[in-house]
Amino acid sequence: MTELLYLKDHYLREFDARVMKVEGDLVTLDRTVFYPTGGGQPNDTGTIKWTGGETLVLDVSKKTGSITHKLKAPIPPQDTAIHGVIDWERRYTFMRYHSALHVLCGLVYHMYGGLVTGGQIYPDRARMDFDLQDLNPERVKEIENACNKAIQESRPITIRFLPRDEAMKHPDLIRTKINLLPPNISEVRVVDIEGLDYQADGGTHVANTNEIRGIKVTKTENKGRINRRMEMTLT
Ligand SMILES: [Zn+2]
């Protein structure tokens, strides 16, 4: 098991850890700030240093509680004490996009009852798919304006850990498909954008909507009879 430091503090950029396992160029640490690809958010990149060595973290992935860091050579041997630093500019952009997507999905639900069916963040854009019949240009403009208004309202974004039973009773969490969570998860991590969106989520977010600064909807697409895709960039 790797201690997932990024789950509790989204603003941690560096950390000390120990190498637990090495398999080729894949290294498992006892704790990490490197976010693994998942939940529509791409992995962090960065560097790892140790006495007598330094290398790049090229990819990060998660499997059954452990985080695997794919490193460029040289590879530190097992038991090495390391210092890791993430590429903050890349991560902070993902945090802004991730929170922007939650603002968008909260508003599309409140305005039109549209449910999210998928989403993905990229370094230069993000997209989200909704269960929505009608998404004409007028509605898109309304949604974009509502997002920017909410962003400028400086709403706090907080993380909470709830017992599963309690989480299963919350209507907003049921809406965001909490029933899809694996049965062995006893605690649910919830990301709350004050008065706007409340969902079970494992991603990293900014602490206040004002850090998103603003968004622009750049594209919409029909992905099926009732599936509408919206693409956005940060402004
Ligand atoms: Zn999310």
Side-chain angles (χ1 to χ4, degrees):
M1 290 290 278
T2 308
E3 189 189 349
L4 311 180
L5 302 169
Y6 59 82
L7 282 183
K8 288 179 181 145
D9 185 351
H10 297 158
Y11 289 82
L12 272 183
R13 304 176 189 200
E14 40 189 296
F15 65 106
D16 294 310
R18 189 163 287 278
V19 175
M20 303 297 284
K21 201 166 97 181
V22 180
E23 281 177 304
D25 58 355
L26 301 178
V27 167
T28 307
L29 304 172
D30 62 344
R31 55 213 295 269
T32 192
V33 166
F34 284 92
Y35 183 84
T37 301
Q41 184 179 328
N43 65 279
D44 290 331
T45 55
T47 57
I48 280 180
K49 286 182 194 176
W50 62 95
T51 308
E54 175 175 353
T55 195
L56 297 175
V57 178
L58 304 173
D59 196 8
V60 188
S61 54
K62 185 175 185 179
K63 45 181 180 184
T64 60
S66 293
I67 304 291
T68 306
H69 306 74
K70 183 181 164 67
L71 305 184
K72 197 179 166 202
I75 310 294
Q78 193 171 336
D79 278 338
T80 306
I82 64 97
H83 184 73
V85 181
I86 62 168
D87 177 349
W88 179 248
E89 205 179 315
R90 174 181 161 92
R91 154 69 89 72
Y92 189 60
T93 301
F94 293 153
M95 284 163 57
R96 291 175 64 213
Y97 269 119
H98 204 145
S99 297
L101 286 181
H102 282 217
V103 168
L104 175 68
C105 93
L107 284 166
V108 168
Y109 178 72
H110 293 303
M111 293 166 77
Y112 304 110
L115 294 173
V116 173
T117 56
Q120 183 61 46
I121 297 163
Y122 304 94
D124 61 345
R125 67 189 192 284
R127 64 168 168 78
M128 194 152 245
D129 294 344
F130 292 96
D131 205 344
L132 261 187
Q133 296 240 4
D134 187 19
L135 191 62
N136 56 48
E138 225 165 81
R139 278 196 174 182
V140 171
K141 199 67 209 164
E142 273 174 21
I143 293 167
E144 184 185 278
N145 289 343
C147 282
N148 284 320
K149 184 168 171 283
I151 287 166
Q152 281 145 27
E153 282 164 353
S154 298
R155 293 172 183 254
I157 304 176
T158 51
I159 304 300
R160 240 165 273 164
F161 292 86
L162 296 182
R164 186 193 180 90
D165 292 354
E166 200 181 312
M168 294 300 279
K169 288 179 204 144
H170 197 289
D172 272 22
L173 292 176
I174 293 163
R175 147 173 91 81
T176 51
K177 303 192 177 77
I178 195 174
N179 47 349
L180 298 179
L181 287 176
N184 59 333
I185 290 181
S186 59
E187 197 180 50
V188 179
R189 182 179 184 266
V190 172
V191 175
D192 182 12
I193 303 183
E194 197 178 272
L196 197 63
D197 187 66
Y198 195 72
Q199 59 176 289
D201 191 77
T204 60
H205 289 262
V206 290
N208 190 292
T209 58
N210 61 24
E211 292 186 53
I212 302 167
R213 295 206 287 271
I215 63 121
K216 187 171 171 48
V217 177
T218 49
K219 201 163 127 186
T220 61
E221 245 181 297
N222 280 358
K223 302 298 284 183
R225 195 172 59 84
I226 56 160
N227 200 4
R228 299 288 174 271
R229 172 168 294 180
M230 293 174 85
E231 206 167 278
M232 64 151 85
T233 54
L234 298 171
T235 56

